[in-house]
Amino acid sequence: MSESNRTKVHVIPHTHWDREWYFTTSRSKVYLVKHVKEVLNALENIEGFHYYLLDAQGSLLDDYIRWCPEDEERIRQLVSAKRLMTGPWYTQTDQLVISSESMVRNLYYGMKTAQKYGHAMKVGYVPDAFGQSAQMPQIYREFGIERFLFWRGVSDNTNPHTEFTWEGSDGSRVFAVQMPFGYYYGGNIPENEEDLIPYLEKQIGALERKASTKHIYFPNGFDQAPVRLNLPQLIERFNTLDTEREYVMNEPERFLAEIEADSQDLPVLRGELMEAKHMRIHKSIFSTRADLKQQNNRIENLIANTLEPVLAISHSLGHDYPHRIVEDIWKLLFENAAHDSIGGCNSDTTNQDVAFRYKQAYDIALNLLDLHMRMIASTIQQEETFAFTLFNTLPYVRGGVTEIEAYIPEESFVIRDTKGRELAYTILEKVDQTDYVLGQHIDLNPSRKVHLPERVYRAKLLVELQEVPAMGYTQIIFDFSQGAAPVMERRNGDTIENEHFTIALQANGTLQITDKRSGQVYANQMVFEDNGDDGDSYNYSPPERDLIVSSAGSQMSATTTQTLVSQTLSLRFTLDVPYDLEERAAGITSGALPMQVEISLRKGEKLIRFHVQVQNEVFSHRLRVLFDTGIASALSIADQPFGVIARPTSLPEVEVWEREQWQEKPITIEAMQSYAGLNNGSHGMAVMTEGVREYEIVGEQMDTIALTLFRTFGFMGKENLLYRPGRASGEKIVATPDAQLLGELSFTFGLHIQTSGFDEANVARAAREYLTPISSYQLCDFLNGRLIFAFRDEERVLEPDYSLMSFSDDSNVVLSSFKKAEESDGYIVRVFNPYLSQSANVNMHFNQPVHAERVSLGEKPLEPQQRLTEGEEVVRFPELTHCKLMTVLVSI
């Protein structure tokens, strides 16, 4: 064989370092110190040990330097020399249920961290994530990453070779190479010569049969594996023993450059990579540990939808932007975004660490938001004793019914906006906290008289707002000079309505929803379905003998509550369910699942809101809620990062997977970002979730949306599941009693009914509004003190209304991010096209002349520079095609 035709085997020394899994982060970090020291010594002292790949996670170096700062310069020299490879990730994030902004920030801070040490690897290296999002080619390209190296998601049914071009939803392409047998494939190299020759023939031969060039990627390493110190000597022996091939030590950047140069006429694979024939992708891990998923989603929404925009508004009014605090919040989330952590496929003690990080992140985010809303509110010109500052963090004027929490006195009052208009409201609940609240008050300046109410109640109100300025604030005041207590009527009724819908409880325990706009009647809605779950922390899997229990036919007690601004239908019922899988197999239902459901219609709102409480005292089951759209469809529609995706509702592979011995059954349990549904071009329906981001289209006609509320199980890993034959994933001896989620659980979601085609219905905008509530801050002198920390009086200079920027009325993009730029004094505006087929446009108006230019997701100028505005108040964006995102830096 000629030299030029010989297979070139690129041996890549690496580790795949899970920051936590069946073990805790503490154990991982302690062992990381030993591992990195050995790697540094090997790279510095062992002849021929040229490279090492540190799993592409910048967080590992941060963890190491925190405990070994004396080695920072050693690391800097090795990373700068491109011998110790790290980045582009901060952690090896999941790509399917993590939010789009979380993935972007993970790459941003990952590359920033790696560059701090000298070099960020420009490879989309994903050795273990459970499938690949269809938008990753665009995201990689935005960060200047043109090459992708991965394991899970492609099998020979789709592409028999390891090299291909991957095209994302928007048309962006990256050069892709798969590790077809996993990142650990070359982790166990035998030392004895009689073993070594057959090992090479078997291992390398298998890779050669899949390769379309002469280049072979041969990873040496596995999970938390020690560095193979004699690897240079082993490679020398490879070359001596196997003269038909050339063996070299390498790293991913150089390898990919070489193989791409030799590649031609590559097949093009499009969209999500989720094929589970040869490797497991754990497609139903989206609902594992629903309690943790809920926490993740709540914090992601809070940071991107509310906190960062309010901080940007605050910065525009003269306050410092707390970059480092925000970075710390994101990094707590990144630690939980790693594929195992967000997957929930951990031991219980590890998931307790995950939960604590969510608690920390949420606490910091909530208090940072509180502080900046207070700093703004305390400098607004205000005469009244009871005033609330309302923050709208969407780029258009909003109104409608919104919920606020307040401390209110006993007296009746009316609520007025800054234009003097009286606003309808209702008090949902109030609790007397007079002694506690007034006892916390502090007079910093006793000479200044402060009104102290006789009674103080902690209350929850619904207020019908007229107009809150775009990306800004307004005030509402409580006027005690007049007014009467709002009326709330409670009845033993079973029907509620607003301008758009009538909802009636039917005798069979389902809802009948009448759309007043179209006259369409949707019967048999909101059916709760409970079935067995014989799976583990990785996969939902039905038991061999299941008993499915439905709420249809249940006897429900119903009451209604009517106020000026809302109507609520409250239901109580109990599902008789099996206590465990043994009872389910025997058809016994000795267990009970008490449930309370509130269905709410707010005045003028086109969304139906659901709040579900479940007292879970039974084991190993899954609860979903079903909505029958009446639309038989071959495709479902859901949002994905920075766009929308249509997926098949049934898979032909189901007919062959057992015969072909797939690793997992191909299923249509899918991930979403915030909504999923069906639409036939003239009408449709979508569920919008604040919790678990998982759905499936079910029914004989494939016409029913099943939204997963939660699933429970008892072991981290189990063998021989119906949906996943063979070995256990994870550790089968690790019991996970916490994953049974015993106790009270609650879930909130919305139902969006459309009277038009999907694009015309602006479903993504409705979902963004649902997940971006208007925030409020109550500024009252009597609250100043230990209750909320004392604040001194500030000069009140701000107007009672303020808007930093807005989108024009004809704009139809969805805002993904509005925040201060990381490396300049400007603001970052990120938008995307959320439509299946139509283009998206936006004109953005600022309250003063601005300069604007397009930048990358990494907030870097494009080459050539793309200026959009020079000294004007209007920024005109280029048209966005399907699934395209765009980031603009605006400088004032």
Side-chain angles (χ1 to χ4, degrees):
M1 182 179 293
S2 67
E3 287 287 325
S4 60
N5 291 330
R6 284 201 306 166
T7 296
K8 186 172 183 179
V9 182
H10 302 255
V11 182
I12 314 292
H14 79 104
T15 184
H16 173 52
W17 200 272
D18 295 303
R19 298 187 83 254
E20 59 195 2
W21 188 16
Y22 56 88
F23 48 83
T24 63
T25 300
S26 299
R27 180 176 179 81
S28 171
K29 288 164 68 174
V30 166
Y31 273 76
L32 177 72
V33 170
K34 176 179 182 296
H35 179 79
V36 173
K37 279 193 179 295
E38 290 179 352
V39 170
L40 299 182
N41 290 335
L43 289 170
E44 290 172 340
N45 302 318
I46 297 178
E47 185 176 352
F49 212 117
H50 301 301
Y51 311 110
Y52 195 82
L53 170 59
L54 199 56
D55 209 29
Q57 304 186 66
S59 63
L60 301 182
L61 288 181
D62 273 355
D63 288 343
Y64 179 78
I65 292 298
R66 190 170 296 119
W67 285 349
C68 303
E70 68 277 8
D71 286 337
E72 182 167 349
E73 185 54 33
R74 296 173 69 193
I75 288 175
R76 197 181 306 281
Q77 289 186 14
L78 290 167
V79 174
S80 298
K82 301 183 182 180
R83 296 183 60 201
L84 180 61
M85 306 300 290
T86 186
W89 300 105
Y90 193 74
T91 61
Q92 280 285 345
T93 187
D94 167 88
Q95 300 174 11
L96 297 163
V97 296
I98 287 295
S99 76
S100 50
E101 285 299 326
S102 178
M103 283 189 279
V104 167
R105 309 309 171 85
N106 197 313
L107 279 168
Y108 176 84
Y109 288 114
M111 295 186 78
K112 182 179 178 181
T113 300
Q115 284 161 349
K116 177 177 67 179
Y117 297 111
H119 175 66
M121 187 172 72
K122 289 287 189 70
V123 175
Y125 180 71
V126 185
D128 203 24
F130 306 137
Q132 319 295 330
S133 165
Q135 284 283 63
M136 289 311 299
Q138 180 178 202
I139 293 172
Y140 287 140
R141 281 279 180 177
E142 282 272 336
F143 277 97
I145 296 170
E146 301 175 355
R147 295 162 182 152
F148 170 55
L149 182 62
F150 75 110
W151 174 28
R152 299 180 195 264
V154 176
S155 300
D156 58 10
N157 284 33
T158 301
N159 182 36
H161 298 298
T162 47
E163 299 80 35
F164 60 94
T165 298
W166 185 22
E167 182 176 294
S169 296
D170 74 311
S172 296
R173 292 184 171 190
V174 292
F175 173 68
V177 175
Q178 185 180 26
M179 296 176 276
F181 307 117
Y183 57 85
Y184 48 79
Y185 185 63
N188 301 308
I189 301 173
E191 299 272 347
N192 295 334
E193 194 159 314
E194 61 271 25
D195 299 325
L196 197 49
I197 294 175
Y199 171 83
L200 292 176
E201 198 53 45
K202 178 184 176 184
Q203 298 294 97
I204 305 303
L207 289 171
E208 285 175 327
R209 288 188 285 277
K210 285 190 164 291
S212 56
T213 75
K214 68 176 184 179
H215 297 279
I216 296 295
Y217 187 91
F218 188 60
N220 172 247
F222 49 86
D223 300 29
Q224 288 75 237
V227 59
R228 194 68 173 259
L229 297 175
N230 66 340
L231 189 61
Q233 292 74 38
L234 285 171
I235 292 174
E236 282 186 18
R237 291 174 64 191
F238 296 166
N239 282 312
T240 301
L241 295 171
D242 184 4
T243 57
E244 297 294 312
R245 304 180 178 104
E246 176 191 8
Y247 294 84
V248 297
M249 182 180 290
N250 212 340
E251 48 81 18
E253 280 189 340
R254 292 173 175 84
F255 161 75
L256 286 165
E258 284 193 56
I259 190 172
E260 185 175 18
D262 275 6
S263 298
Q264 53 188 346
D265 300 325
L266 293 175
V268 178
L269 305 190
R270 295 181 172 85
E272 286 181 322
L273 305 180
M274 296 293 291
E275 196 174 24
K277 181 179 180 181
H278 300 315
M279 70 291 292
R280 296 172 172 181
I281 58 170
H282 310 302
K283 202 174 178 186
S284 50
I285 203 169
F286 319 133
S287 57
T288 295
R289 288 300 301 261
D291 56 334
L292 300 178
K293 298 287 200 303
Q294 285 177 312
Q295 291 184 58
N296 177 76
N297 302 346
R298 178 179 64 164
I299 303 169
E300 285 183 344
N301 291 331
L302 175 65
I303 297 173
N305 298 1
T306 301
L307 175 62
E308 290 184 331
V310 167
L311 295 179
I313 293 169
S314 181
H315 175 264
S316 75
L317 296 171
H319 302 129
D320 290 338
Y321 193 93
H323 284 286
R324 292 299 300 272
I325 303 177
V326 175
E327 180 177 338
D328 278 356
I329 296 169
W330 276 118
K331 286 183 174 178
L332 284 167
L333 289 187
F334 301 154
E335 291 181 27
N336 285 356
H339 56 287
D340 293 316
S341 305
I342 187 63
C345 49
N346 306 307
S347 61
D348 279 352
T349 184
T350 294
N351 279 331
Q352 289 163 12
D353 289 346
V354 171
F356 183 66
R357 286 194 288 270
Y358 283 136
K359 178 186 182 303
Q360 286 182 301
Y362 188 70
D363 281 350
I364 298 170
L366 207 58
N367 284 290
L368 191 59
L369 176 64
D370 178 272
L371 173 63
H372 278 261
M373 289 196 301
R374 186 177 185 180
M375 289 195 299
I376 294 170
S378 62
T379 53
I380 296 174
Q381 301 166 22
Q382 177 187 323
E383 301 289 337
E384 295 76 12
T385 302
F386 280 79
F388 291 78
T389 306
L390 304 172
F391 293 85
N392 173 18
T393 52
L394 289 178
Y396 45 83
V397 174
R398 296 177 71 186
V401 178
T402 195
E403 182 178 302
I404 65 172
E405 294 188 353
Y407 291 96
I408 61 174
E410 192 161 28
E411 296 85 351
S412 299
F413 55 87
V414 297
I415 301 178
R416 301 186 188 282
D417 65 13
T418 55
K419 294 181 179 178
R421 292 174 294 201
E422 184 174 334
L423 307 178
Y425 75 96
T426 189
I427 301 174
L428 295 175
E429 59 186 47
K430 65 177 188 179
V431 178
D432 190 340
Q433 295 188 354
T434 304
D435 293 341
Y436 172 69
V437 173
L438 297 184
Q440 302 282 322
H441 174 72
I442 296 175
D443 276 321
L444 290 177
N445 176 12
S447 301
R448 179 171 172 268
K449 299 304 179 187
V450 171
H451 171 72
L452 299 178
E454 292 186 6
R455 311 293 312 170
V456 179
Y457 296 86
R458 181 67 172 163
K460 186 178 293 183
L461 292 77
L462 285 179
V463 184
E464 184 185 15
L465 304 172
Q466 294 297 314
E467 51 186 283
V468 184
M471 200 58 71
Y473 66 78
T474 188
Q475 283 201 313
I476 58 174
I477 60 168
F478 286 15
D479 180 358
F480 295 92
S481 65
Q482 53 185 299
V487 175
M488 175 183 289
E489 294 185 6
R490 289 192 171 90
R491 299 176 180 171
N492 292 323
D494 57 14
T495 302
I496 58 173
E497 64 179 336
N498 69 356
E499 298 88 336
H500 304 290
F501 305 106
T502 299
I503 301 176
L505 176 67
Q506 301 299 287
N508 66 356
T510 67
L511 299 180
Q512 177 172 290
I513 301 173
T514 302
D515 189 333
K516 294 181 177 179
R517 301 165 297 178
S518 64
Q520 181 99 23
V521 176
Y522 297 92
N524 299 317
Q525 303 301 318
M526 195 198 69
V527 174
F528 293 94
E529 182 184 272
D530 184 86
N531 68 292
D533 190 341
D534 194 25
D536 54 17
S537 66
Y538 290 85
N539 289 77
Y540 158 76
S541 189
E544 292 273 359
R545 286 181 292 170
D546 202 355
L547 177 63
I548 299 174
V549 178
S550 169
S551 65
S554 296
Q555 292 297 312
M556 300 182 179
S557 67
T559 59
T560 60
T561 304
Q562 298 184 12
T563 74
L564 282 175
V565 294
S566 67
Q567 295 194 15
T568 300
L569 172 62
S570 300
L571 307 176
R572 288 175 179 267
F573 59 99
T574 297
L575 292 183
D576 295 326
V577 297
Y579 180 74
D580 54 22
L581 291 176
E582 287 71 27
E583 281 200 4
R584 204 170 286 271
I588 300 170
T589 56
S590 72
L593 207 58
M595 299 179 64
Q596 298 180 45
V597 182
E598 289 188 350
I599 305 104
S600 299
L601 292 172
R602 292 181 176 179
K603 185 180 177 183
E605 191 172 64
K606 298 177 183 177
L607 188 74
I608 304 170
R609 295 171 180 262
F610 295 80
H611 179 70
V612 179
Q613 286 183 282
V614 182
Q615 188 65 33
N616 181 41
E617 303 295 346
V618 299
F619 294 83
S620 301
H621 65 127
R622 180 181 67 172
L623 184 68
R624 303 197 293 184
V625 59
L626 278 52
F627 292 94
D628 182 357
T629 69
I631 301 170
S633 180
L635 295 172
S636 66
I637 303 170
D639 58 347
Q640 62 171 338
F642 302 115
V644 61
I645 188 168
R647 300 184 176 104
T649 54
S650 61
L651 301 172
E653 297 90 338
V654 171
E655 304 298 325
V656 301
W657 77 281
E658 289 177 296
R659 186 170 65 250
E660 294 184 352
Q661 298 183 322
W662 283 44
Q663 291 284 311
E664 290 179 1
K665 180 180 180 179
I667 56 177
T668 54
I669 297 175
E670 309 285 2
M672 59 176 154
Q673 290 276 296
S674 63
Y675 71 82
L678 299 171
N679 188 293
N680 66 359
S682 64
H683 69 283
M685 186 182 289
V687 293
M688 297 175 177
T689 181
E690 293 186 62
V692 169
R693 295 168 174 168
E694 178 183 284
Y695 75 99
E696 184 179 18
I697 303 303
V698 299
E700 292 184 4
Q701 302 299 316
M702 291 297 174
D703 54 4
T704 300
I705 309 165
L707 174 67
T708 306
L709 298 184
F710 68 94
R711 57 178 290 257
T712 71
F713 51 88
F715 281 88
M716 183 183 179
K718 291 174 69 173
E719 296 175 326
N720 298 317
L721 307 181
L722 278 185
Y723 278 12
R724 198 196 65 214
R727 64 171 176 84
S729 288
E731 308 301 312
K732 64 182 181 182
I733 66 166
V734 176
T736 55
D738 288 357
Q740 293 290 0
L741 302 182
L742 299 178
E744 185 175 303
L745 306 171
S746 64
F747 310 91
T748 55
F749 56 90
L751 183 68
H752 186 262
I753 295 177
Q754 303 131 32
T755 56
S756 65
F758 175 82
D759 283 357
E760 293 76 20
N762 281 315
V763 180
R765 173 168 165 154
R768 181 61 190 254
E769 290 180 2
Y770 175 56
L771 298 175
T772 311
I774 289 174
S775 301
S776 66
Y777 189 84
Q778 179 179 9
L779 188 71
C780 292
D781 288 335
F782 73 89
L783 294 174
N784 201 25
R786 288 180 296 179
L787 180 70
I788 55 174
F789 288 8
F791 237 43
R792 65 174 172 270
D793 292 336
E794 299 286 347
E795 186 180 3
R796 296 175 181 266
V797 296
L798 298 179
E799 296 294 328
D801 295 284
Y802 177 78
S803 174
L804 173 58
M805 71 87 163
S806 63
F807 288 177
S808 59
D809 292 341
D810 58 352
S811 297
N812 61 353
V813 298
V814 166
L815 179 71
S816 179
S817 176
F818 182 72
K819 68 183 196 63
K820 183 176 171 301
E822 295 298 323
E823 297 173 7
S824 76
D825 218 25
Y827 299 100
I828 291 295
V829 183
R830 183 154 39 250
V831 298
F832 65 89
N833 179 332
Y835 304 109
L836 286 171
S837 56
Q838 74 181 45
S839 59
N841 299 277
V842 56
N843 291 328
M844 181 169 57
H845 298 254
F846 267 77
N847 59 8
Q848 57 187 300
V850 298
H851 305 279
E853 67 174 303
R854 286 187 61 185
V855 295
S856 68
L857 281 176
E859 303 186 13
K860 304 296 184 186
L862 302 185
E863 294 181 2
Q865 190 177 47
Q866 295 189 28
R867 286 277 187 185
L868 301 181
T869 297
E870 290 278 9
E872 298 179 32
E873 293 182 2
V874 179
V875 182
R876 297 174 180 82
F877 284 56
E879 182 178 274
L880 295 179
T881 55
H882 174 67
C883 281
K884 274 292 184 187
L885 67 87
M886 186 175 295
T887 306
V888 170
L889 170 64
V890 178
S891 303
I892 295 177

